[in-house]
Amino acid sequence: MTNVTALQSSLDPERGAAGARRRPSIAARIGAMGENRIGALILLVATLAAIVWANVSMPSYETFWETDLMVGVGDRHLDFTLHTLVNDALMAIFFFTVGLEVRREFAIGELTSWSRALVPVAASIAGLVVPALLFVLVANGSGNEHAWGVVISTDTAFLVGALALIGPRVPGRLRVFLLALAVVDDIGALSIIALVYTEKFTPLPLLVAAAGLAGVYVTRYLRSGRGPVYASLAIVVWLAFLASGVHPTLAGVAIALLVPVYRPNRTDVEHALELARTFRQSPNTEYARAAANSLRESFSINERLQSAYAPYVAYVILPLFALANAGVVLSPELLAGAARSALTWGIVAGLVAGKLLGVFGSSALLRRLKIGELGAGLTLDRVLGGAVLCGIGFTISLFIVDLAIDDELAKNEARVGVLAASVIAFALATITFRISDAVRPDDDAGQTLARPVDPARDHVLGDPHAPYTIVEYGDFQCGFCLKATGSILEVRDVLGDQLRYVWRHAPLVQIHPNALAAAEAAEAAAAQGRFFDFARTILDDQDNQLPSDIIRIARDLGLDLERFEKDLISAEVTGRVRDDMLDAEAMNITAVPTLFINGRRHVGPYDARSLLRALTTTTDTPVAE
């Protein structure tokens, strides 16, 4: 879920001055950077460390990563090197988390809505095909044309981290677009690894893998002890993939796609709350364990596993992979050879130019044809910066270099190409975003309604074609929103059908813990034509917005409760609220209520008299597509 940035609280007047003088600690500064930035910086440090290590002492680098390991019982054993352990075993965990994200996006995420998914899916497919064609064209005659898979994939970890470091002032909509694109990109890359870069295929072990995957699927029905069962079956499936010749990292993806994902439902949340109340009244280890288990079980296994593994993948596995694979001796001879190498230039052209042409070209074409939607605030100059950033193919590119190329000199030239392309893409994206921000000055940001009112989509009270319009971005747990809504209704009493009132969601989740759930509940009520009835009721009773209260309001309004509860956890409802929140972020809305009168942002009092004056002195401002 993408959140609207908000001021969480004002400074304590007694501590504010002292706090302002006190410099934040190093730990506080690191924590404020955010997980994505930290992960990207650690990955960058590991890459630089690998390059320095290899150039200072290549023999020790190679000796360390070629250290032999043996695991087995009796005569049955597996031989690994440290390098193989990282690339075949630890990277299976990385691909497992990729598979979890793919599964989630198609089940309850951005890829559930075809209109929202069309542009990133098309851009991703073009971003797979165009780089590969460009690589083959440039690398033709080098003898390594079959290594076209090196340029097909974008490094999601670096992409998200780089966007957090150098992205535009308002990156929310672009971040969602690029993450949806990256999911399809990952699917393409994984499929190509399985279909193109698999050697010595032996089908029989895949029967064992299939049985293990079937076991993974039915494990969801166990009432307890699922963790050990999942772990045991995962090892069996991984070993079966290894024995079959299919790269064992793909076992992680196969397992992840069978892990269930769903949004928390009201019954589970209410049960967890009841157990928590019981523990509060009678604290003991039994009630504590029951409450903790119930809270954990209210979230899907998919989301729990993503949360559990994400830090290890970002801070340990990917840096280890970079340390084991990015070590290349940047000697004058190698750099001179790479500068003349069709393989190196094919990789640079494929990643930098190919991704740019594929992602941006397809997005611009679909926008010109008015097919699909990019969303408010996601302009083509922002897409251009994101398309350039997609040229960072680091992790999977280096991974496929190891699979696709046998000659060690060619491998080093390919690694130089991957590193050079990543640096060039990062630099060009930085320039693109800075230019994009420069032509959009802060003083005009968010003064015009980013997305015009659409009666077919928006919640409109009054004549949809009325000459006067008030759009409120609000929060159902905000007392000021209640007052603003009351003032707007007073204005409607005066103007009647000459005014249309539109509500859009901007829940300040950092301040109001129930606001997001209330917004989704209002959307579920809207599916039965009762949005404003539900909204008014929940605004009037802001102290009672727990799941049981939401159901009570729906029952009092005579809604179909079975349908209401089903809609509450649907991807459509989640996506609808998220779209409004991303619009609010694009317009720099950091406080609610924020009103737009006849398309222009209202600054000043929002009592009925002030709103009437503003309506009659402000002309409707058309919003450019």
Side-chain angles (χ1 to χ4, degrees):
M1 176 62 66
T2 303
N3 296 333
V4 177
T5 304
L7 299 174
Q8 296 190 39
S9 62
S10 58
L11 286 173
D12 186 328
E14 295 182 0
R15 300 175 58 191
R21 288 193 300 267
R22 188 167 54 247
R23 296 181 65 182
S25 66
I26 295 177
R29 292 180 184 179
I30 293 175
M33 292 174 64
E35 184 175 303
N36 293 329
R37 290 186 180 185
I38 294 172
L41 288 175
I42 292 175
L43 190 55
L44 177 61
V45 169
T47 302
L48 295 175
I51 294 172
V52 171
W53 184 3
N55 282 270
V56 170
S57 177
M58 189 62 180
S60 68
Y61 180 85
E62 291 179 338
T63 300
F64 178 81
W65 292 111
E66 292 304 317
T67 301
D68 286 317
L69 301 172
M70 182 180 295
V71 179
V73 177
D75 295 334
R76 304 283 184 180
H77 61 269
L78 294 173
D79 291 324
F80 287 102
T81 63
L82 277 177
H83 184 267
T84 305
L85 178 67
V86 170
N87 282 24
D88 290 2
L90 292 184
M91 286 299 285
I93 300 175
F94 163 71
F95 283 112
F96 174 71
T97 60
V98 170
L100 290 174
E101 183 64 25
V102 170
R103 176 80 173 88
R104 185 188 184 283
E105 286 300 312
F106 276 100
I108 61 175
E110 188 70 11
L111 298 179
T112 56
S113 168
W114 179 242
S115 63
R116 289 200 305 270
L118 177 60
V119 179
V121 168
S124 180
I125 293 172
L128 293 169
V129 175
V130 175
L133 293 176
L134 196 55
F135 171 86
V136 172
L137 180 65
V138 176
N140 186 38
S142 68
N144 290 293
E145 296 87 348
H146 61 284
W148 53 268
V150 173
V151 301
I152 61 173
S153 185
T154 296
D155 187 309
T156 305
F158 257 136
L159 176 72
V160 175
L163 186 65
L165 286 169
I166 64 166
R169 281 190 296 265
V170 185
R173 185 77 68 177
L174 178 60
R175 182 172 60 247
V176 172
F177 174 82
L178 291 178
L179 285 175
L181 182 151
V183 168
V184 182
D185 184 277
D186 288 336
I187 295 172
L190 297 171
S191 301
I192 288 166
I193 290 172
L195 298 174
V196 178
Y197 298 114
T198 293
E199 299 178 356
K200 301 178 182 178
F201 175 62
T202 305
L204 186 60
L206 287 184
L207 296 177
V208 178
L213 292 172
V216 170
Y217 180 81
V218 301
T219 298
R220 69 182 67 189
Y221 299 109
L222 296 179
R223 297 184 62 86
S224 61
R226 290 191 295 267
V229 176
Y230 274 127
S232 300
L233 290 173
I235 294 172
V236 170
V237 173
W238 184 85
L239 290 172
F241 269 72
L242 181 67
S244 72
V246 177
H247 203 279
T249 54
L250 298 178
V253 180
I255 294 167
L257 294 178
L258 296 174
V259 172
V261 57
Y262 50 81
R263 298 195 64 222
N265 63 56
R266 180 189 64 85
T267 303
D268 291 338
V269 173
E270 287 290 346
H271 182 59
L273 287 173
E274 287 299 325
L275 288 174
R277 292 190 190 100
T278 303
F279 170 67
R280 182 179 180 182
Q281 294 168 0
S282 180
N284 60 58
T285 55
E286 181 179 351
Y287 289 147
R289 189 182 307 111
N293 288 339
S294 182
L295 283 170
R296 184 176 63 252
E297 292 295 324
S298 66
F299 287 89
S300 70
I301 301 172
N302 178 293
E303 292 180 287
R304 299 205 305 270
L305 288 174
Q306 282 194 65
S307 298
Y309 282 106
Y312 298 104
V313 170
Y315 303 151
V316 180
I317 293 175
L318 288 180
L320 278 176
F321 173 80
L323 197 60
N325 290 272
V328 55
V329 177
L330 300 178
S331 64
E333 294 79 15
L334 175 62
L335 293 176
R340 298 189 301 269
S341 170
L343 172 62
T344 302
W345 285 109
I347 291 173
V348 172
L351 283 172
V352 178
K355 285 290 184 181
L356 170 61
L357 293 173
V359 173
F360 178 73
S362 58
S363 300
L365 178 62
L366 290 177
R367 184 182 180 91
R368 182 64 180 267
L369 298 175
K370 297 184 178 180
I371 299 175
E373 59 179 275
L374 286 175
L378 185 52
T379 53
L380 284 180
D381 55 327
R382 301 283 168 82
V383 175
L384 177 63
V388 175
L389 208 54
C390 287
I392 301 178
F394 190 81
T395 302
I396 294 183
S397 292
L398 290 177
F399 189 79
I400 297 179
V401 164
D402 199 55
L403 296 177
I405 302 173
D406 296 323
D407 180 72
E408 196 60 37
L409 177 59
K411 279 187 178 181
N412 284 333
E413 290 177 349
R415 289 174 183 137
V416 170
V418 171
L419 294 173
S422 299
V423 172
I424 293 170
F426 184 88
L428 290 178
T430 302
I431 295 170
T432 304
F433 287 133
R434 295 294 78 82
I435 293 174
S436 173
D437 282 344
V439 299
R440 300 175 186 280
D442 281 334
D443 55 4
D444 193 47
Q447 297 307 304
T448 301
L449 190 64
R451 177 165 45 80
V453 174
D454 179 3
R457 175 199 182 276
D458 280 309
H459 304 298
V460 181
L461 185 62
D463 184 351
H465 305 291
Y468 299 117
T469 302
I470 296 179
V471 177
E472 177 181 0
Y473 279 86
D475 175 325
F476 289 124
Q477 208 178 351
C478 166
F480 296 110
C481 294
L482 176 61
K483 295 178 181 178
T485 301
S487 297
I488 294 169
L489 293 179
E490 288 182 36
V491 174
R492 283 199 75 244
D493 289 339
V494 176
L495 295 180
D497 287 340
Q498 288 186 296
L499 173 69
R500 59 177 181 177
Y501 165 48
V502 179
W503 172 282
R504 290 178 180 173
H505 304 287
L508 304 184
V509 294
Q510 297 93 339
I511 306 173
H512 302 144
N514 298 327
L516 181 58
E520 292 175 346
E523 288 301 323
Q528 299 184 45
R530 303 295 298 277
F531 175 84
F532 282 105
D533 293 334
F534 190 97
R536 186 65 191 180
T537 304
I538 205 165
L539 261 176
D540 286 339
D541 193 8
Q542 296 184 10
D543 293 330
N544 297 294
Q545 295 186 356
L546 295 176
S548 56
D549 300 312
I550 287 172
I551 296 300
R552 171 182 52 78
I553 293 172
R555 184 186 299 111
D556 292 345
L557 291 175
L559 299 181
D560 181 337
L561 289 184
E562 183 177 352
R563 179 184 173 188
F564 179 78
E565 292 196 46
K566 182 179 179 180
D567 288 335
L568 265 179
I569 59 175
S570 69
E572 291 77 10
V573 161
T574 304
R576 176 65 173 76
V577 175
R578 177 173 54 190
D579 280 347
D580 279 1
M581 295 173 71
L582 288 170
D583 291 346
E585 184 191 51
M587 293 182 292
N588 195 31
I589 292 176
T590 58
V592 290
T594 294
L595 305 182
F596 288 83
I597 295 181
N598 296 331
R600 296 293 297 178
R601 193 168 188 151
H602 175 67
V603 179
Y606 48 81
D607 60 279
R609 180 177 297 179
S610 298
L611 294 180
L612 276 167
R613 186 183 306 113
L615 280 166
T616 55
T617 57
T618 305
T619 57
D620 193 18
T621 303
V623 181
E625 289 290 338

